[in-house]
Amino acid sequence: MMEIRTPKTHKAKRVLEKRAPKLVENGKKTLILHGTKTSATLSAVLMELYRLKKGGAIKYSRRNENIRPFESGGETSLEFFSLKTDCSIFAYGSHTKKRPDNLVLGRMYDHHVYDLIEVGIENFKSLLSFSYDKKIAPHEGSKPFICFTGEGFENVPELKQLKEVLTDLFRGEVVDNLNLTGLDRAYICSAISPTKVFLTHCAIKLKKSGTIVPRIELVEVGPSMDLVIRRNRLPNEGLRKEAMKSSKDKPKKKLKNVDQDDVLGKRGRIYIPEQEVGKNPLPDKSKGVKRERREGKLKKNKEEGSASKKQKESE
Amino acid sequence: MDMETDQIHQIDVGNLLAFNPSHRFPSAPSSREELVKECVTEGTKLVQAIADTLFNFPSTETSDGPLVQLPRPTTKLPREKHLPRPKPPTKWEEFALKKGIQKRKKDKIVYDENTDQFKRRHGYDRVNDDNDIPIIEAKASDEPGEDPFAKRLDDKKKRVGKQEKNRLQNLKTAAKAGALPSHVQLAVTALPISGTKTQPQKIGKDALGDVAGLAATSTASGGKFDKKLPGEKPPKKQGKHHKYLPVLPHRGKVDEEKEQTNKVLSKLLSKHSHEILNVGKAINMYNDKKEKKKSGRSDKLKAKKDITKKKPYANKAQ
């Protein structure tokens, strides 16, 4: 016995349509949660990550004991949360003796784990410890600049994956139009060694220069930390190919049969299909009304129409 | 301010992303601050490079500020969800394709013959409304006892039911192909019927509460030490229900125990006591009790005879 269930309110319908698979996707939301134990630094990291991504992140405050991203059975809870909150990136923090200050960044495809990368956090500096002029503080939800420096990001496969994950994490929504006054933050990631990445968040100061392009000055405002690569898991080749598939970039529709002429202006061409006189069914005109009556009625309607127009004019 | 060397930056303006692959950090960092400084300066260079291209785009002035059209991002990132799958054609669509039936657009206003007016096709005061027919002429094929109006309603209900069934089937095929429309969900309401056609009865809230208690009585301790689920109510008073009367009577109240025994006595000694008391049954009970007393205590408590032991001086020859 199957039943068709449709949403009863417009709001519910809009939510379902937002979460449906689309050609052009929404920005990825981030799910932030932590495991059995978290150290002070790790909880600060998670909190600040949440603040940086305020508009598109969900933070869970309870500890989750049954989530183990790198084990085969330990991902079910993550996938369930991802389904319920519609989040495709997650940041899972845990602290154990073997892996202190551990952060697992992962992505989902169709609410199943796509890839994972585990980093350890060292030399963490919270954003509260930075002092700066409050005027240049970045606004919530602004589109950031993302910069990667270092040959490690090209040569080392783990760092390559980390680069991709960090891009996905910090990118936010893909936009067509950008307001140039709203550029106020930048994430700087530098590969200081083949296993370590220095990540910091800076505010942008635009200074006058001789040209249209302002001179850029970066001031460190946000959290800064060292990421030490631990474990990682790459996606399957087949899954990766499927996820990277994109609909063919639709070329802008060429406007056909229209041409601009300096002499005549805009000209268009109309093609009329062949009229099949015998084939089309005739419209159903009232059979009972005779021709005189029909014509009389048409006249009457016309008069009524003009009479109402006159009334409107007089008003 | 000027860049001396032509450092190759990989810039993706759509993502506001820049990558400098040629910088080499010293393997033995001098100090933390110097390292941080170096990173920030490198970062500044990259941001400057992106801003160079960005600010040179044609911008439109709006009330908030200059608006620039960003190109599409060049770095390929994996999708969040699969690409939307094409919907399989419905049964009607297949039939129409086969027969070559074209879709025809219907007008909202239709001319009504009966009232010589233009009326709407659906809704209030519509054309060809089923409820408005005053007279239905009898045909030769009609049975005498049948109500044609009820028959019309019945036919309509059947048609609507058939349409709903077809719609469900179409949605099921779409769900199989993974192309269910986003606002529709197919939910299973009941388990497949096996055996009788009776619908499984819904258990009430009270009955469900009692079930746990019933199951608990099968444990050795009668369910007293069982772990209770959160929200589970303690079992109602179990076992025998005794009502003990007060030993000493309350002031002004009747001595209930005395009353009880008096009641029984009066019944026995009354005129019609033979009707109340079943003499035959009473005699049988009395006799049984007497015999039990004679034979000693019950067999369970009796010491069992040891059959392996032989009686002394048993005369086998006899």
Side-chain angles (χ1 to χ4, degrees):
Chain A
M1 260 347 146
M2 279 206 165
E3 199 183 61
I4 304 170
R5 286 212 186 128
T6 47
K8 301 285 181 250
T9 53
H10 284 291
K11 188 172 183 182
K13 188 170 179 194
R14 273 179 271 139
V15 168
L16 283 174
E17 281 182 358
K18 198 174 181 193
R19 294 192 176 192
K22 292 181 231 178
L23 225 58
V24 177
E25 290 184 321
N26 315 328
K28 291 189 185 179
K29 283 205 273 191
T30 310
L31 179 66
I32 302 173
L33 30 64
H34 59 89
T36 327
K37 220 186 191 182
T38 37
S39 58
T41 44
L42 197 63
S43 38
V45 168
L46 291 174
M47 186 50 123
E48 297 193 355
L49 185 64
Y50 174 64
R51 293 253 179 82
L52 288 176
K53 282 212 77 182
K54 198 56 181 294
I58 291 176
K59 185 172 187 291
Y60 279 174
S61 50
R62 274 184 160 202
R63 53 194 169 124
N64 304 286
E65 290 161 345
N66 52 354
I67 294 184
R68 287 172 218 282
F70 281 91
E71 281 169 44
S72 56
E75 307 161 338
T76 44
S77 245
L78 269 176
E79 293 179 356
F80 176 72
F81 291 145
S82 158
L83 189 68
K84 281 290 166 180
T85 56
D86 196 31
C87 287
S88 308
I89 315 182
F90 68 87
Y92 169 78
S94 68
H95 176 80
T96 55
K97 213 169 180 183
K98 189 175 178 190
R99 290 179 234 272
D101 293 337
N102 201 26
L103 184 69
V104 180
L105 296 166
R107 290 181 292 180
M108 303 275 198
Y109 177 72
D110 258 351
H111 303 294
H112 294 295
V113 169
Y114 173 74
D115 70 350
L116 304 162
I117 185 154
E118 187 178 56
V119 288
I121 299 185
E122 290 176 8
N123 299 327
F124 173 67
K125 269 183 102 186
S126 149
L127 53 80
L128 304 161
S129 60
F130 288 95
S131 56
Y132 51 90
D133 185 13
K134 292 297 169 198
K135 284 191 217 161
I136 56 165
H139 293 102
E140 223 173 66
S142 54
K143 195 154 169 77
F145 283 95
I146 315 174
C147 306
F148 291 95
T149 319
E151 53 184 14
F153 283 121
E154 214 172 37
N155 305 334
V156 184
E158 284 93 12
L159 288 184
K160 241 184 171 175
Q161 192 194 1
L162 184 63
K163 175 168 172 275
E164 210 183 283
V165 174
L166 287 175
T167 316
D168 229 343
L169 185 68
F170 293 131
R171 178 164 79 145
E173 295 255 1
V174 179
V175 288
D176 280 336
N177 301 316
L178 186 68
N179 189 347
L180 293 175
T181 49
L183 295 168
D184 48 11
R185 59 168 90 212
Y187 291 101
I188 315 282
C189 316
S190 333
I192 47 186
S193 88
T195 52
K196 237 191 202 184
V197 170
F198 171 67
L199 169 68
T200 182
H201 173 235
C202 306
I204 297 179
K205 256 180 160 180
L206 299 167
K207 292 221 164 136
K208 273 192 187 169
S209 78
T211 57
I212 325 165
V213 184
R215 189 165 61 88
I216 297 213
E217 207 180 282
L218 295 179
V219 179
E220 263 197 281
V221 298
S224 80
M225 59 192 96
D226 277 355
L227 305 172
V228 180
I229 305 274
R230 288 181 184 156
R231 295 182 286 183
N232 76 331
R233 194 205 283 181
L234 292 163
N236 307 337
E237 254 321 297
L239 192 61
R240 201 186 81 87
K241 272 196 181 160
E242 206 194 313
M244 290 296 201
K245 240 198 266 186
S246 63
S247 64
K248 275 185 235 166
D249 298 26
K250 273 192 192 163
K252 285 221 173 107
K253 270 192 171 173
K254 231 173 79 176
L255 203 57
K256 283 176 155 185
N257 299 322
V258 173
D259 41 48
Q260 282 274 26
D261 216 11
D262 284 325
V263 178
L264 297 160
K266 200 172 184 183
R267 296 182 77 216
R269 277 196 240 176
I270 306 173
Y271 294 98
I272 305 174
E274 207 186 292
Q275 284 184 324
E276 291 156 338
V277 184
K279 286 190 187 171
N280 286 349
L282 293 169
D284 182 23
K285 291 209 171 136
S286 351
K287 283 183 266 180
V289 182
K290 290 191 182 165
R291 194 206 296 160
E292 291 90 25
R293 275 206 178 173
R294 214 185 304 136
E295 284 182 49
K297 260 194 223 311
L298 279 169
K299 273 192 192 163
K300 203 176 157 190
N301 285 343
K302 265 190 198 166
E303 278 173 26
E304 276 180 352
S306 57
S308 61
K309 269 188 194 168
K310 277 187 187 162
Q311 276 184 348
K312 278 185 186 170
E313 280 171 2
S314 62
E315 276 176 49
Chain B
M1 248 69 83
D2 281 356
M3 290 203 218
E4 308 89 24
T5 50
D6 223 3
Q7 279 179 320
I8 311 160
H9 301 308
Q10 294 173 8
I11 299 180
D12 174 6
V13 192
N15 273 331
L16 297 182
L17 178 73
F19 174 37
N20 178 6
S22 46
H23 188 88
R24 230 169 261 155
F25 284 95
S27 45
S30 30
S31 82
R32 180 86 191 158
E33 286 118 24
E34 293 226 2
L35 185 67
V36 171
K37 251 191 192 173
E38 198 185 336
C39 294
V40 175
T41 36
E42 287 300 313
T44 322
K45 286 187 201 165
L46 286 168
V47 177
Q48 188 72 59
I50 306 174
D52 281 343
T53 36
L54 202 63
F55 280 84
N56 282 321
F57 280 157
S59 65
T60 50
E61 283 293 324
T62 56
S63 50
D64 304 320
L67 217 66
V68 155
Q69 195 146 31
L70 281 178
R72 286 180 125 234
T74 51
T75 36
K76 266 194 153 187
L77 289 167
R79 278 177 67 96
E80 186 181 29
K81 296 179 185 139
H82 60 261
L83 280 164
R85 295 187 193 118
K87 207 172 81 155
T90 62
K91 294 214 72 187
W92 167 255
E93 281 171 0
E94 283 173 4
F95 178 76
L97 203 69
K98 202 171 67 173
K99 287 274 185 164
I101 302 171
Q102 301 290 335
K103 263 199 205 177
R104 229 160 263 153
K105 185 139 181 162
K106 297 193 174 96
D107 291 323
K108 277 196 193 164
I109 311 284
V110 188
Y111 188 73
D112 187 12
E113 305 158 2
N114 306 334
T115 53
D116 294 341
Q117 270 186 332
F118 279 99
K119 282 194 178 171
R120 53 180 74 96
R121 190 187 285 270
H122 306 287
Y124 174 75
D125 192 28
R126 58 177 169 267
V127 165
N128 298 334
D129 193 351
D130 238 12
N131 311 343
D132 281 352
I133 304 172
I135 304 167
I136 302 176
E137 287 180 31
K139 285 191 276 185
S141 52
D142 277 346
E143 286 178 31
E146 227 180 72
D147 179 9
F149 296 98
K151 188 160 173 280
R152 280 184 89 102
L153 281 172
D154 227 6
D155 284 341
K156 178 153 190 176
K157 271 199 184 153
K158 281 199 194 134
R159 270 182 281 134
V160 170
K162 182 172 176 285
Q163 179 56 30
E164 276 301 310
K165 216 168 65 164
N166 290 345
R167 181 176 168 226
L168 183 62
Q169 283 301 339
N170 284 330
L171 287 171
K172 275 192 192 168
T173 48
K176 230 182 180 179
L180 198 62
S182 61
H183 58 276
V184 176
Q185 284 172 314
L186 285 178
V188 180
T189 47
L191 295 165
I193 303 169
S194 61
T196 56
K197 271 196 175 178
T198 53
Q199 297 282 357
Q201 275 196 326
K202 272 196 168 181
I203 311 173
K205 212 198 306 189
D206 304 317
L208 274 173
D210 292 337
V211 162
L214 281 172
T217 53
S218 62
T219 51
S221 57
K224 204 169 164 190
F225 303 107
D226 283 347
K227 233 189 222 174
K228 289 248 179 301
L229 288 169
E232 200 183 323
K233 291 193 183 144
K236 290 177 268 188
K237 188 176 166 200
Q238 289 166 330
K240 285 189 183 174
H241 296 263
H242 289 287
K243 187 180 178 191
Y244 294 107
L245 301 165
V247 175
L248 293 171
H250 292 288
R251 243 182 266 167
K253 283 200 179 162
V254 181
D255 189 358
E256 285 171 327
E257 207 178 344
K258 199 177 172 189
E259 280 295 311
Q260 227 179 24
T261 40
N262 272 338
K263 219 170 156 188
V264 176
L265 203 62
S266 60
K267 275 193 181 168
L268 285 172
L269 298 173
S270 69
K271 255 200 233 175
H272 309 278
S273 62
H274 58 274
E275 285 169 14
I276 298 168
L277 183 65
N278 186 350
V279 186
K281 196 172 181 185
I283 293 170
N284 284 334
M285 282 176 82
Y286 178 73
N287 287 338
D288 282 341
K289 223 178 180 178
K290 217 162 133 191
E291 276 178 28
K292 267 195 180 163
K293 240 186 179 172
K294 259 193 187 173
S295 65
R297 286 213 185 123
S298 79
D299 293 334
K300 283 189 186 168
L301 298 174
K302 221 166 146 183
K304 282 205 173 140
K305 263 190 184 171
D306 200 356
I307 52 171
T308 53
K309 272 194 177 168
K310 288 190 180 163
K311 271 192 183 164
Y313 312 120
N315 217 335
K316 279 186 193 170
Q318 283 181 343

